[in-house]
Amino acid sequence: MDAESFFSNNIKAALKNSPPGEWMPNIPENCIRLNSGYPAPELVPDQELKAAVALLLDEERDLPLHYLGSPRIDKLKEQIQDRLAERGMRVSKEELLITSGACQAIDLVARILLDEEAVVAMEAPTYMEALEIFKNYTDHYISIPVDEQGLQTDLLEKELAERKQNGLALPRFLYTIPTFQNPTGTTLTADRRKHLLELASSYNFLIIEDDAYGELAFNESPETLKSMDKEGRVLHIGSLSKVVAPGMRIGWVAAARDFITAQWWFKKDLDHPFAHSTMATFLENIDFEERLEMLRRTYREKCAAMLSALQAIMPTSVTWFVPEGGYFAWVRIPGVDTAEMLAEAMAEGVAYIPGKHFFLDQAEGKEYLRLSFSYAEEKEIVEGIRKLAKIVGNLAK
Amino acid sequence: MDAESFFSNNIKAALKNSPPGEWMPNIPENCIRLNSGYPAPELVPDQELKAAVALLLDEERDLPLHYLGSPRIDKLKEQIQDRLAERGMRVSKEELLITSGACQAIDLVARILLDEEAVVAMEAPTYMEALEIFKNYTDHYISIPVDEQGLQTDLLEKELAERKQNGLALPRFLYTIPTFQNPTGTTLTADRRKHLLELASSYNFLIIEDDAYGELAFNESPETLKSMDKEGRVLHIGSLSKVVAPGMRIGWVAAARDFITAQWWFKKDLDHPFAHSTMATFLENIDFEERLEMLRRTYREKCAAMLSALQAIMPTSVTWFVPEGGYFAWVRIPGVDTAEMLAEAMAEGVAYIPGKHFFLDQAEGKEYLRLSFSYAEEKEIVEGIRKLAKIVGNLAK
């Protein structure tokens, strides 16, 4: 028996391209976790979710525990429609698919839009899980750098024009996190948003807008690409992972009806009635705007603590982007290999994610690292930066 | 903008083959639901699950609500390993993947094993969702009839021998529900199990053993194909949907390590920490053997009530298989189109699933229907059979 010989040809190709690769090492128990893209423990509403489950099961008994039957499954969809409407996106029920987090949404989008000939345009750096997902479908990528104003749409335009002139395939879609990007924390400016939509129209590609952090503005959330889109080119992906809890696995895609129908057809885990109806009950019983306000304030303060510490403690050669929301700060340490530095950092008691993990061409990420200000406490954040600064200082000697 | 033009070629083909098709009509509120393959409401442990959530969140607070971190996520895997071991299947952690129900397990198996050239062997009739899933990958099927002893392995052998002789492709796998099959309720005999494994070895195909009902024996559960398998040819799929609650979406695949690794790679909804750790807490705090004993006794009694009613009330031309476990009875009404009869049945206040939905060639299912004794109460079951008998009697006039 040789398992390999039973794998389908597509899978043989995908496995060859994507061996379950090297990833983060195990992080010691007492490390300050500036690596974790998790909400802060005290912001996870565990007691409210406990109360929601109690209320739900007392009211509905077995209904949320069958495949179908809980009226709150539809309710969750309406609640998400309402949240989208708050941000200028009016979508019908047929234009919205609830998924198990943003990851499943990205996978379903890839499933319907990609084949092995397809070209995907991405930001450099970008969300590493998205990269892993796309690699299951195609080997063809265009990678466009991000600066402090987000995706460099002028470089995208140049690349598209060249490809067109040389008769090369144009991308089927661009995957972008335009708002409080993972990992850079940057936000695409209004002008660039407009430019990007124009390019999508002229060069006939779709835009996958991953908006996982979009509600977590320190001040105001920018207009989404989806709300600016007049041509149905934007597939908008969202999630409650960052504003409620990732373990509930609630995400979605909002897009033109045909895209949603096709994705629904390939979504074979069925629905998640218990998780969905629990979330609906939770949302019914809290003031979501108030919760968001609290989250924004807290993350703003944590981010400010991180940036002040960087400013105060790091050698002047070290630079970073200033986030306006989200979970992350993106730091450059010139002349340092951040992947090599990680072992020493963890020995000192602080963890981060080396930049290379966010690039298609990992060499590009060598001097960068992603710091998360979401999970650790302010005091820990400052202490973590101090530890990093010490290592960087020693390396510079 | 034309959505169709953006779909990948694979998806265009799949959507052409599998338009979201005609399915069951809406079932009126007060209908007796002999259609529902759901556990009985009073057997769904809603209060125990409520208590499990309370205990879990009080003990672990935010941990089960992050992506990772709850020790009970690993615990659930061990609990499932223990249940498999009870039934003679010793599998390591690397040979077990937890999925969102059996459906996601079937989809992941298809994902790694099928391409558009692949041939799938199936039972006729079979689980309709499996059929829908496979249609997303291939158009090539072999369909082998089931009788009261399960899959007719002699007919399978004949088909395989003919295909080999004629130089036709052999199946990559056979999908079977050998124990308390959906929809027929039949169980593959020990001799046929042995024969099937021999055929898999001689003709070099894999076996997907869907064991969703395997623990629900009225007397004793038969040996699984997986536990009899000496060559690693069986991918065993199980679920807690029928013995705990479908809405929790907990299923699994147990198989050789390479198959599990490949499936893991394509499972992009990540894990479901809240659902998994809730289930682990629930399982910690109940006597599962006692629960199973209670379920078996209850379904045995409900099944007996259904069969007695069929025997007592139905015209003698109507026949059925006698289930030894599971949720379903499979009934033949000679000369009647059960799909046509459904509207009248629902008008009378009883619903079932017409046989055609369980066949690749729907014409084969015309005279059959699936009755579920799992969901309705005994009194309702008898009343439902009475309603059906009245309609069948009238049709015979």
Side-chain angles (χ1 to χ4, degrees), chain A residues 101-387:
Chain A
C103 271
Q104 190 186 37
I106 297 170
D107 186 53
L108 288 170
V109 165
R111 186 87 192 263
I112 64 165
L113 297 179
L114 299 183
D115 52 35
E116 53 191 12
E117 309 298 321
V119 176
V120 173
M122 306 190 64
E123 296 168 334
T126 189
Y127 176 41
M128 60 276 197
E129 286 286 347
L131 203 57
E132 296 293 340
I133 289 169
F134 299 143
K135 279 184 181 173
N136 282 344
Y137 297 88
T138 180
D139 291 332
H140 310 296
Y141 300 94
I142 301 170
S143 198
I144 307 292
V146 166
D147 65 16
E148 65 276 12
Q149 302 186 14
L151 178 76
Q152 299 191 49
T153 52
D154 53 338
L155 297 184
L156 174 63
E157 179 165 23
K158 192 157 158 269
E159 172 78 28
L160 292 167
E162 278 177 19
R163 293 184 77 93
K164 193 168 184 184
Q165 198 169 8
N166 298 325
L168 294 172
L170 292 169
R172 197 157 294 165
F173 63 72
L174 169 91
Y175 170 79
T176 174
I177 309 171
T179 306
F180 321 133
Q181 201 229 18
N182 181 5
T184 62
T186 57
T187 295
L188 196 65
T189 59
D191 283 350
R192 287 194 186 174
R193 283 175 197 246
K194 207 162 143 270
H195 189 205
L196 178 56
L197 286 164
E198 285 160 9
L199 291 175
S201 187
S202 336
Y203 290 92
N204 195 27
F205 59 88
L206 300 171
I207 296 171
I208 314 304
E209 176 178 42
D210 183 342
D211 191 50
Y213 303 89
E215 294 187 307
L216 290 176
F218 299 154
N219 297 296
E220 209 167 323
S221 291
E223 230 185 321
T224 63
L225 292 167
K226 170 89 179 147
S227 64
M228 298 166 72
D229 171 27
K230 302 271 187 294
E231 301 182 357
R233 287 188 184 276
V234 177
L235 289 82
H236 180 90
I237 291 174
S239 162
L240 294 177
S241 292
K242 311 303 172 186
V243 293
V244 182
M248 297 300 294
R249 311 304 304 126
I250 311 272
W252 58 84
V253 193
R257 179 195 289 232
D258 283 358
F259 293 128
I260 296 301
T261 306
Q263 288 178 70
W264 173 83
W265 189 247
F266 290 96
K267 186 182 172 301
K268 291 301 184 186
D269 59 339
L270 309 185
D271 274 328
H272 289 263
F274 180 61
H276 290 193
S277 51
T278 294
M279 186 58 84
T281 312
F282 169 78
L283 293 174
E284 267 166 45
N285 288 288
I286 61 157
D287 181 333
F288 199 80
E289 288 309 322
E290 199 174 274
R291 175 170 175 80
L292 265 188
E293 198 37 64
M294 179 272 290
L295 293 174
R296 288 183 187 128
R297 191 177 56 242
T298 308
Y299 290 128
R300 186 171 54 223
E301 286 163 7
K302 292 171 79 145
C303 179
M306 178 175 276
L307 298 186
S308 308
L310 285 169
Q311 187 67 44
I313 312 170
M314 276 287 176
T316 50
S317 62
V318 176
T319 55
W320 54 89
F321 292 147
V322 175
E324 290 163 29
Y327 274 14
F328 308 115
W330 184 242
V331 176
R332 182 171 172 226
I333 310 176
V336 167
D337 182 332
T338 59
E340 276 183 14
M341 192 178 83
L342 182 61
E344 199 179 338
M346 295 207 306
E348 284 289 329
V350 60
Y352 58 84
I353 301 197
K356 70 169 189 177
H357 294 296
F358 302 96
F359 286 89
L360 194 63
D361 173 4
Q362 298 208 339
E364 289 179 46
K366 201 174 161 183
E367 297 181 334
Y368 293 89
L369 53 85
R370 189 192 79 176
L371 296 180
S372 167
F373 48 79
S374 64
Y375 187 78
E377 291 172 20
E378 273 188 43
K379 217 171 56 183
E380 289 179 318
I381 290 173
V382 175
E383 180 59 22
I385 300 293
R386 203 183 309 277
K387 287 172 189 290

Side-chain angles (χ1 to χ4, degrees), chain A residues 8 65 67 136 231 242 247 265, chain B residues 65 67 112 136 242 247 265:
Chain A
S8 77
L65 296 163
Y67 299 101
N136 282 344
E231 301 182 357
K242 311 303 172 186
W265 189 247
Chain B
L65 297 163
Y67 298 101
I112 64 165
N136 282 344
K242 311 304 172 185
W265 190 246

Side-chain angles (χ1 to χ4, degrees), chain A residues 28-61:
Chain A
E29 190 72 32
N30 291 320
C31 236
I32 297 173
R33 301 175 74 91
L34 304 184
N35 60 302
S36 294
Y38 286 24
E42 67 276 15
L43 300 182
V44 172
D46 50 87
Q47 293 304 302
E48 292 86 342
L49 285 165
K50 180 178 100 173
V53 168
L55 180 63
L56 172 71
L57 291 178
D58 284 346
E59 263 186 41
E60 297 195 13
R61 304 297 303 223

Side-chain angles (χ1 to χ4, degrees), chain B residues 310-327:
Chain B
L310 285 169
Q311 186 68 43
I313 311 170
M314 276 287 176
T316 51
S317 63
V318 176
T319 56
W320 53 89
F321 292 148
V322 174
E324 290 162 30
Y327 274 14

